[in-house]
Amino acid sequence: MSLVSICPTCGSKSKVKDNNGELSYEAIQDDEALKKVGQLKKAMEKFKAKAEALEKELETLKGSK
């Protein structure tokens, strides 16, 4: 995933790229931002499902002792 930051020149949300120590900023369009949010939501849902499964497994292991 790209590094996103506020552009110091124009104040817009931008992708930050490091080219041999020189930072460049590329403005993010609204549809790109929405796509990133969608990707983050999907990743969080997967993480949440794994965490819940691990909690159930832990409870099962605690109960069997």
Side-chain angles (χ1 to χ4, degrees):
M1 204 178 300
S2 303
L3 179 61
V4 177
S5 183
I6 302 295
C7 176
T9 307
C10 65
S12 68
K13 293 179 187 163
S14 305
K15 293 180 193 174
V16 180
K17 295 182 181 178
D18 184 6
N19 296 329
N20 298 327
E22 183 178 323
L23 293 178
S24 63
Y25 295 88
E26 181 182 329
I28 295 176
Q29 303 300 319
D30 287 338
D31 58 336
E32 287 182 81
L34 290 173
K35 183 179 170 184
K36 292 284 183 191
V37 169
Q39 289 174 341
L40 288 171
K41 283 183 180 181
K42 286 180 184 177
M44 289 301 297
E45 286 297 320
K46 286 181 182 178
F47 175 76
K48 183 179 175 184
K50 285 181 182 179
E52 288 172 353
L54 288 172
E55 285 177 357
K56 287 179 185 177
E57 185 177 344
L58 181 60
E59 287 300 319
T60 302
L61 290 172
K62 283 183 178 180
S64 66
K65 286 185 176 182

